[in-house]
Amino acid sequence: MSWVERHLLGALLLIGASGVEAGDTDGAERLAAVARMPKLALVIDDLGQNTVRDGRVLALPGPVAMAILPDTRHATKLAEQARTAGKTVMLHLPMAPAGGPYAWQPQLPQAELDRRLDNALTKVPHSSGVNNHMGSQMTDRQPPMAALMSELQQRHLFFLDSRTNPGTIAAAAAQQIGLASLSRDIFLDDDPSPEAVAAQFRAAIQLARKQGSVVVIGHPHPATLALLERELPKLGAQGIDWVDIGQMIATRGNRAMIAHGANGVYR
């Protein structure tokens, strides 16, 4: 059973246990209302470097996905903690221009890329999926991206394209083989000032309402964490359904949003 199939089975079981039974009109209407709400999925990147900041992400109240760098001191322990806390664990795979022992770089043979992926997944156990850390010199290269998606499919892992390169073909490579995948819509904190982070969060809410869903990536900057701690509990009251990555994959059905493609197909 694939990761997505396991996730959807779990969601169905959760719905079945929610008290909605045959003839429960009010319960069915509540579920239908939630299903119609715009969806938001949140990923926090660059984790594993600082236990205080990592702890604040762990303490966020909802389905935050935690993307952990493999070449960090606390990577393995944090992955264990995230799993215990019920968070989605992701491998934040370094790609060129990123360096280090796990980084995917253009000059490396495929066997070495495969070895680095294997080692990185060992360092970040319980990973349900992968997204790229940096990668502007890698995600526009067809052979390694096709190889990565094939490998993730064999391992029943999903892929999130961080879209650090406007010429990325990573999501398209995933889509071509039917790999469970997503693309990032909004970076919260390219500018980590409180005013800029708040503006990006508002833009994310607006985009969710416009296109029905939004995938947001942030980083453990002080302003980002402060905003998320303050604003995430308010999402429901604003008519936004904060969902985990698995539900967002199911919601989008591997289709590209309009900013990333046409008619659901990635450019």
Side-chain angles (χ1 to χ4, degrees):
M1 182 181 292
S2 72
W3 179 85
V4 173
E5 289 168 337
R6 292 196 303 272
H7 172 85
L8 292 177
L9 176 60
L12 290 172
L13 291 173
L14 182 61
I15 290 171
S18 65
V20 179
E21 300 175 354
D24 184 355
T25 304
D26 290 344
E29 289 177 353
R30 286 196 299 272
L31 285 177
V34 171
R36 291 191 296 269
M37 291 169 66
K39 311 297 180 193
L40 180 147
L42 172 66
V43 180
I44 304 297
D45 279 354
D46 293 357
L47 297 174
Q49 304 179 84
N50 181 290
T51 56
V52 174
R53 291 179 301 190
D54 294 344
R56 290 177 70 180
V57 178
L58 278 168
L60 291 173
V64 60
M66 300 181 63
I68 301 172
L69 288 163
D71 50 353
T72 55
R73 182 177 180 182
H74 307 291
T76 302
K77 181 178 180 180
L78 179 60
E80 298 284 358
Q81 292 173 324
R83 184 191 186 216
T84 299
K87 307 300 188 186
T88 297
V89 179
M90 295 175 58
L91 166 63
H92 197 32
L93 182 64
M95 294 186 185
Y102 304 98
W104 275 41
Q105 297 173 324
Q107 75 276 12
L108 298 174
Q110 188 60 49
E112 174 61 15
L113 297 179
D114 292 342
R115 188 188 70 83
R116 291 184 175 208
L117 175 63
D118 192 60
N119 288 345
L121 286 167
T122 299
K123 190 72 183 296
V124 185
H126 315 300
S127 293
S128 296
V130 173
N131 72 329
N132 53 293
H133 170 61
M134 302 179 72
S136 61
Q137 297 172 11
M138 198 72 191
T139 57
D140 58 358
R141 296 173 181 264
Q142 178 66 36
M145 290 301 100
L148 175 62
M149 304 314 156
S150 178
E151 183 65 24
L152 296 183
Q153 191 170 60
Q154 292 178 43
R155 294 172 181 262
H156 305 299
L157 303 177
F158 67 82
F159 181 75
L160 167 64
D161 190 348
S162 300
R163 302 194 74 86
T164 57
N165 179 346
T168 178
I169 55 87
Q175 187 180 59
Q176 286 165 8
I177 64 169
L179 176 70
S181 59
L182 289 167
S183 274
R184 183 269 311 165
D185 297 301
I186 297 280
F187 271 132
L188 281 180
D189 44 21
D190 282 340
D191 178 345
S193 68
E195 298 78 13
V197 173
Q200 286 297 94
F201 191 78
R202 290 192 297 270
I205 299 300
Q206 293 169 1
L207 186 57
R209 290 176 174 147
K210 178 180 179 180
Q211 66 183 18
S213 66
V214 65
V215 177
V216 179
I217 291 180
H219 300 82
H221 302 310
T224 304
L225 294 173
L227 177 135
L228 294 175
E229 290 162 348
R230 182 178 69 248
E231 297 296 333
L232 288 175
K234 303 176 185 177
L235 285 176
Q238 297 177 56
I240 303 295
D241 185 19
W242 181 15
V243 301
D244 67 20
I245 288 288
Q247 187 172 343
M248 185 62 78
I249 290 171
T251 295
R252 290 194 170 180
N254 281 5
R255 292 178 59 82
M257 295 293 98
I258 192 167
H260 306 146
N263 300 316
V265 179
Y266 285 100
R267 287 190 288 268

